[in-house]
């Protein structure tokens, strides 16, 4: 038998409407309405809501766990690098005479400069660790197999570009350590078969390590690589949305594929 609900205290009862109150719209509702109307206006002209639904409302296999967040964690590390990098670029000067001084100025004089520079420096290490962990997850879960081979190949290129990002960024403070470490790195590059010497000439901007080297590293670090990484992440995420994520191997072993009705 269903018991009747206890009566509401008078203070909690909704107040009866006053004459004319129904027509009065609260300012907050007006703001909400404006937001909805703007989103509708854009959607009617672009159909973007369909794209958003296609990318975000996907079936995920049963057994999806914390290891599946490593890709998104890498993405956020990259975004953090992009944002902090933009602020550093506002003060950094990539000339051999001023690079060290501008980096010192960011750390010692600019408001929150040391914090932003620290975030960018430690963030690069975090991104390298996360991308390696993400790659290990996809490898051990067999996500490189059909039909995701192309996404694996894109991932390998992303991995290399992440390493090149770290390598080119290391020279930019232009202190003794970064200068000599980069000379060693470029020389190691030069020992590679066939392409090695050409690659190190390209990185140095000639046979000698000089002023061109620094501006070349800066251009590669803040224009070429971020552009390529953004394009490749776009392709990578398109393929993830299109193909779905791989079910954990122990589930696939039980039921053929992770997307069987009982698994999603
Ligand atoms: C900038 C670097 C990268 C970013 C931002 C990134 C981002 C992502 C994201 C968000 C996902 C979906 C969620 C997940 O499975 O974790 C994913 C999936 C995937 N990634 Fe990456 N990734 C990167 C690098 C790599 C690398 C280095 C590899 C391997 C060499 C790789 C291979 C894959 C594969 C095969 C999948 C599909 C996983 C599945 O189907 O279960 N990714 N990536």
């Amino acid at each position: 038998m269903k018991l009747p609900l206890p009566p509401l205290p008078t203070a909690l009862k909704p107040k009866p409407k006053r004459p004319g109150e129904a027509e009065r719209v609260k300012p907050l509702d007006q703001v909400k309405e404006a937001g909805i109307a703007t989103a509708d206006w854009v959607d009617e002209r672009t159909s973007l809501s369909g794209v958003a639904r296609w990318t975000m409302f996907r079936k995920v296999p049963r057994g999806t766990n914390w290891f599946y967040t490593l890709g998104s964690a890498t993405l956020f590390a990259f975004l953090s690098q992009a944002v902090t990098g933009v602020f550093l670029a506002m003060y950094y000067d990539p000339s051999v005479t001023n690079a060290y001084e501008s980096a010192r100025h960011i750390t010692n004089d600019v408001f929150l400069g040391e914090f932003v520079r620290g975030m960018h420096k430690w963030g690069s290490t975090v991104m390298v660790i996360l991308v390696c962990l993400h790659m290990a997850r996809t490898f051990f879960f067999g996500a490189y197999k059909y039909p995701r081979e192309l996404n694996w190949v894109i991932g390998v290129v992303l991995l290399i570009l992440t390493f090149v990002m770290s390598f080119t960024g290391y020279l930019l403070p232009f202190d003794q350590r970064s200068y000599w470490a980069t000379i060693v790195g470029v020389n190691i590059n030069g020992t590679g078969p066939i392409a090695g010497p050409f690659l190190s000439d390209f990185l140095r901007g000639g046979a000698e390590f000089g002023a061109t080297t620094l501006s070349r590293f800066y251009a590669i670090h803040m224009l070429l690589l971020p552009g390529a990484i953004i394009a490749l992440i776009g392709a990578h995420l398109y393929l993830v949305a299109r193909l779905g994520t791989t079910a954990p191997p122990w589930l696939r072993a039980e039921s053929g594929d992770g997307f069987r009705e009982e698994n999603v």
Side-chain angles (χ1 to χ4, degrees):
M1 195 187 82
K2 208 175 164 195
L3 291 173
L5 289 171
L8 265 184
T10 330
L12 291 182
K13 279 189 187 150
K15 293 207 176 72
K17 280 205 178 81
R18 290 164 174 239
E21 198 176 57
E23 297 84 53
R24 226 191 302 139
V25 188
K26 292 188 191 119
L28 192 63
D29 291 335
Q30 273 176 336
V31 173
K32 273 188 207 156
E33 272 304 313
I36 293 168
T38 315
D40 279 350
W41 189 90
V42 174
D43 192 35
E44 210 178 320
R45 281 147 190 89
T46 58
S47 305
L48 274 178
S49 69
V51 180
R53 238 175 294 138
W54 180 76
T55 23
M56 292 197 277
F57 294 92
R58 289 178 286 114
K59 282 188 172 178
V60 283
R62 189 162 63 87
T64 299
N65 54 39
W66 281 99
F67 292 115
Y68 286 75
T69 60
L70 288 166
S72 313
T74 314
L75 178 63
F76 280 99
F78 173 70
L79 291 179
S80 161
Q81 289 304 92
V83 172
T84 48
V86 167
F87 285 106
L88 291 177
M90 288 177 188
Y91 296 93
Y92 178 73
D93 179 352
S95 67
V96 278
T97 43
N98 296 342
Y100 177 78
E101 177 49 32
S102 66
R104 194 206 57 77
H105 171 65
I106 293 173
T107 300
N108 295 343
D109 311 322
V110 176
F111 175 64
L112 290 181
E114 190 176 5
F115 176 67
V116 174
R117 203 177 153 197
M119 270 186 78
H120 198 75
K121 186 194 156 176
W122 290 106
S124 72
T125 308
V126 170
M127 185 171 165
V128 168
I129 293 171
L130 285 173
V131 78
C132 292
L133 290 175
H134 169 60
M135 182 174 66
R137 197 289 283 171
T138 52
F139 177 75
F140 286 116
F141 281 40
Y144 56 86
K145 293 178 192 166
Y146 175 84
R148 297 183 183 80
E149 304 94 322
L150 184 59
N151 219 13
W152 174 264
V153 172
I154 293 176
V156 171
V157 180
L158 278 169
L159 180 77
I160 295 168
L161 294 189
T162 307
F163 290 158
V164 182
M165 260 304 210
S166 301
F167 180 63
T168 48
Y170 201 80
L171 177 68
L172 303 184
F174 219 55
D175 50 20
Q176 288 292 324
R177 185 170 31 181
S178 67
Y179 179 82
W180 291 108
T182 306
I183 289 193
V184 171
V186 172
N187 286 346
I188 292 174
N189 243 297
T191 61
I194 305 164
F198 295 104
L199 195 60
S200 39
D201 272 1
F202 168 76
L203 285 172
R204 272 190 301 256
E208 293 296 322
F209 203 95
T212 336
T213 318
L214 182 60
S215 36
R216 186 156 292 202
F217 268 55
Y218 186 53
I220 295 173
H221 185 77
M222 62 95 70
L223 292 171
L224 188 65
L225 292 181
I229 291 180
I230 289 168
L232 286 172
I233 288 181
H236 198 63
L237 296 186
Y238 167 76
L239 287 181
V240 170
R242 176 144 179 74
L243 304 171
T245 33
T246 321
W250 52 90
L251 271 185
R252 261 176 297 155
E254 275 168 24
S255 60
D257 77 53
F259 282 96
R260 289 259 171 90
E261 271 312 305
E262 64 271 20
N263 275 342
V264 289

